[in-house]
Amino acid sequence: MNILILGAGGREHTIAWKLKQSKTPTQLFVAPGNAGTAALATNLALSVTDFRAIKQAAIAHEIQMLVVGPEDPLVHGIHDFFLADPALKDIPVIGPQKAAAALEGSKDFAKQFLTRHQIPTAAYQAFTAENVEAGYAFLDSLKAPYVLKADGLAAGKGVLILEDLDQAKTELKNMLLGAKFGAASSRVVIEEFLDGIELSCFVLTDGKNYKVLPTAKDYKRIGAGDTGLNTGGMGAISPVPFADATFMEKIHSRVIEPTIKGLAKDGLPYKGFIFIGLIKVGEEPYVIEYNVRLGDPETEVVLPRLQTDLVALFKAVAEEQLDSVSLEIDPRTATTVMSVAGGYPEAYEKGHEIQGLDHDTDSLLFHAGTTLKEGKVCTNGGRVLAVTSFGADYRAALATSYKTLEGISFKDIYYRKDLGFDLN
Ligand code: AMP
Ligand code: GLY
């Protein structure tokens, strides 16, 4: 089976690695891919939002399934584009159609969906340039800290959490009137701050049936103890130890069930992954956000724990027969530690050779920002390499990842050494 995966990160390398293990023989293509995917697949040098080039590649390589890694092509309607094209319409796409992808593409749309289906989430209101004064008044009515979210996609940077009321008002003005995040902040959601511990839950749905994948927790800040700037994700742990059976049952009945039913009720076509960002406040789950794809680096711990054939799962999604498949999950804990280029998430260098990739290791090495230069694997992004390991618990798994990382080097390598610090 010929499968095209869109994306270039650790998530896409992990998806390719998992698809390659299927008992269905596959020929994989990744666009644009990285040095890791090049070892399993044919990389195609094209942009994930260049739909015309993707169409040409799909035809040229006789693609029989499209798996979409990142949100951008989904929010811009890649699934609808395939359905509308006579030459592409029979190729199943893993990833929702545009109307449903708005769950990630618009925070206001997601909050309206959550409210309409009575799914627990922070109280909120949305504002535009026309009613910025009402936004100031809403901020006056809230207690610190203040949570401001650009409505549209802002590459993970569109959320501000501020302690000071005046600063919150200034930032609201910058977003609405000063286009701080471009068109993405022409509408801003202001919401109540929720104090708790975060976790993510992953669901695969065919629009009717669904399967719940393992939970995971990622570490977004660059510095030890969750300090410093936000990143794409510095590591992840699965399962989340504090998500016990009672809490998981609340997530099922209060969040997952109403989400799947809500999609059907609202006529939002969905075949793909739903990534539900949750926060545990006391003993209760609240939804912070929906993403319409898998997380990165969460994928690097969730998919290695999945023992079910991923090609079979994706086929079942395409045929709306997910109820006929059962999930097998590895009971061990998986952790991934992301090594990054020094300076990231601010300015950093690229193009440095990565040493130690050929060492014997007990870990799985998933490439994020890497590329091949004259046959050598070199850094090509801020997040470079995710090192995934298994263990009886997260401490044991992390110890293996850290040991593996001792044997890997590139110029100015950095990784967090305190993952799991908040789980004690
Ligand atoms: P989002 O892009 O919506 O996931 O927000 C980014 C991050 O901001 C989340 O991962 C949380 O750490 C934090 N956050 C978002 N909304 C809230 C909230 N209502 N209360 C507390 N923290 C929040
Ligand atoms: N790790 C967070 C994300 O993929 O959005």
Side-chain angles (χ1 to χ4, degrees):
M1 185 175 191
N2 293 356
I3 304 178
L4 172 60
I5 303 166
L6 296 185
R11 168 180 50 210
E12 289 74 22
H13 185 192
T14 313
I15 293 171
W17 168 85
K18 184 69 195 160
L19 288 173
K20 210 64 204 172
Q21 291 166 14
S22 170
K23 62 178 194 298
T24 303
T26 57
Q27 206 185 343
L28 301 181
F29 297 84
V30 186
N34 58 35
T37 63
L40 301 167
T42 305
N43 284 349
L44 304 174
L46 44 94
S47 149
V48 299
T49 48
D50 186 347
F51 292 3
R52 291 216 340 236
I54 293 167
K55 173 181 174 175
Q56 281 171 1
I59 293 169
H61 300 291
E62 298 178 33
I63 294 303
Q64 294 161 292
M65 179 180 281
L66 178 73
V67 181
V68 187
E71 62 278 13
D72 241 10
L74 294 167
V75 171
H76 289 107
I78 186 87
H79 195 149
D80 311 65
F81 174 82
F82 268 57
L83 287 173
D85 191 307
L88 305 175
K89 69 178 184 4
D90 296 326
I91 303 174
V93 178
I94 305 301
Q97 282 167 248
K98 187 174 182 173
L103 283 177
E104 179 163 1
S106 163
K107 302 266 186 207
D108 189 25
F109 180 86
K111 293 297 281 191
Q112 288 183 33
F113 178 91
L114 288 160
T115 310
R116 184 161 60 243
H117 300 294
Q118 294 167 352
I119 301 167
T121 192
Y124 84 107
Q125 283 187 32
F127 301 92
T128 60
E130 278 82 71
N131 62 353
V132 61
E133 296 293 334
Y136 299 148
F138 186 57
L139 284 170
D140 282 327
S141 78
L142 296 173
K143 285 197 296 262
Y146 305 93
V147 183
L148 271 50
K149 301 185 173 186
D151 180 57
L153 291 185
K157 297 191 170 67
V159 176
L160 301 179
I161 299 184
L162 303 158
E163 287 296 332
D164 180 75
L165 179 61
D166 288 332
Q167 203 191 347
K169 288 181 181 173
T170 304
E171 288 295 357
L172 179 64
K173 190 166 122 198
N174 293 343
M175 287 166 96
L176 289 177
L177 306 179
K180 178 167 178 140
F181 299 106
S185 66
S186 61
R187 183 180 295 271
V188 172
V189 164
I190 301 178
E191 65 181 43
E192 165 200 12
F193 179 82
L194 297 174
D195 196 6
I197 186 159
E198 286 178 58
L199 73 155
S200 301
C201 172
F202 299 89
V203 179
L204 181 64
T205 181
D206 61 14
K208 293 184 186 137
N209 311 289
Y210 68 89
K211 297 286 173 196
V212 182
L213 296 161
T215 56
K217 171 162 182 43
D218 80 339
Y219 290 83
K220 287 206 180 79
R221 303 294 195 94
I222 188 74
D226 282 346
T227 55
L229 292 172
N230 252 323
T231 71
M234 296 297 293
I237 294 176
S238 173
V240 180
F242 59 82
D244 59 15
T246 314
F247 188 64
M248 286 310 295
E249 163 39 38
K250 287 183 185 170
I251 295 178
H252 281 210
S253 60
R254 297 185 197 170
V255 178
I256 299 174
E257 280 279 346
T259 297
I260 302 291
K261 286 197 180 124
L263 288 169
K265 223 181 193 169
D266 294 352
L268 298 171
Y270 211 117
K271 287 186 176 179
F273 293 101
I274 314 176
F275 163 165
I276 311 177
L278 296 161
I279 188 158
K280 184 180 184 217
V281 182
E283 291 305 315
E284 305 305 315
Y286 287 80
V287 176
I288 294 255
E289 64 168 347
Y290 286 113
N291 295 309
V292 296
R293 53 174 172 85
L294 282 173
D296 193 351
E298 291 91 332
T299 306
E300 289 92 305
V301 290
V302 169
L303 289 189
R305 293 188 61 220
L306 177 70
Q307 292 167 326
T308 312
D309 189 308
L310 191 58
V311 175
L313 267 180
F314 284 167
K315 277 190 189 160
V317 168
E319 290 158 10
E320 297 179 12
Q321 289 185 346
L322 208 44
D323 54 336
S324 68
V325 190
S326 64
L327 284 197
E328 303 289 331
I329 304 295
D330 190 323
R332 291 176 299 167
T333 290
T335 59
T336 200
V337 180
M338 187 65 80
S339 59
V340 307
Y344 172 80
E346 297 184 284
Y348 58 84
E349 294 176 13
K350 290 184 186 177
H352 298 296
E353 189 179 349
I354 307 172
Q355 259 112 19
L357 292 173
D358 52 352
H359 293 174
D360 270 349
T361 163
D362 294 326
S363 304
L364 298 163
L365 306 183
F366 294 118
H367 291 224
T370 70
T371 190
L372 283 173
K373 267 201 328 203
E374 293 154 14
K376 291 180 177 149
V377 179
C378 294
T379 65
N380 193 40
R383 294 193 295 168
V384 174
L385 188 75
V387 177
T388 297
S389 312
F390 284 103
D393 57 25
Y394 73 86
R395 288 187 188 86
L398 279 171
T400 303
S401 287
Y402 289 132
K403 184 161 171 279
T404 299
L405 273 159
E406 283 172 18
I408 291 174
S409 59
F410 53 84
K411 185 170 178 263
D412 300 333
I413 185 173
Y414 168 77
Y415 51 90
R416 270 182 65 172
K417 299 180 180 65
D418 69 325
L419 300 187
F421 77 97
D422 51 348
L423 300 177
N424 297 313

